[in-house]
Amino acid sequence: MSVEFGYTSAAFLLGGKKSNMLRQLSKPICTVLVWQVVATAMMTLVGAALLGTHAALSAAAGGLISVIAGLAAAFIASRAGAKSAGGVVLGALRAEGVKIGSAVLLLWLAL
């Protein structure tokens, strides 16, 4: 008789061990960050070609702010050891708060 695991039952059976769910979480985060870097590079090149150095620097700064804020949020989200649904929500809200705060701070520094 085989046992099939639902979405959350495998995580409960594994206890505190790192499961495949964490590895799968990092792949979407990495994919988003790679696309943000690619879009930043493309807009920087387009800005440099069409509008000059100032446009290229502005595009690079704006893109890097987004990438750095996303990295900060991913780090905070990955460090949240949530053991309940409420803990997951609080961890996500904390990560979003860090993302927004770091983006505002970096935008203030850039301007």
Side-chain angles (χ1 to χ4, degrees):
M1 183 161 108
S2 67
V3 177
E4 292 191 26
F5 295 113
Y7 179 71
T8 58
S9 61
F12 286 118
L13 291 175
L14 290 173
K17 296 179 183 176
K18 289 187 177 181
S19 67
N20 286 336
M21 291 169 60
L22 293 178
R23 285 188 214 111
Q24 291 173 356
L25 177 66
S26 66
K27 184 176 179 181
I29 290 171
C30 289
T31 302
V32 168
L33 291 174
V34 166
W35 277 107
Q36 284 181 335
V37 169
V38 168
T40 299
M42 287 175 40
M43 290 298 108
T44 301
L45 292 173
V46 168
L50 298 178
L51 302 170
T53 306
H54 293 291
L57 289 175
S58 179
L64 287 176
I65 287 169
S66 177
V67 169
I68 292 169
L71 281 172
F75 178 74
I76 296 299
S78 70
R79 304 273 302 162
K83 300 196 187 309
S84 67
V88 171
V89 171
L90 287 175
L93 289 173
R94 190 177 304 120
E96 273 305 308
V98 167
K99 183 177 181 179
I100 291 169
S102 60
V104 168
L105 176 68
L106 291 170
L107 283 168
W108 179 73
L109 289 173
L111 298 176

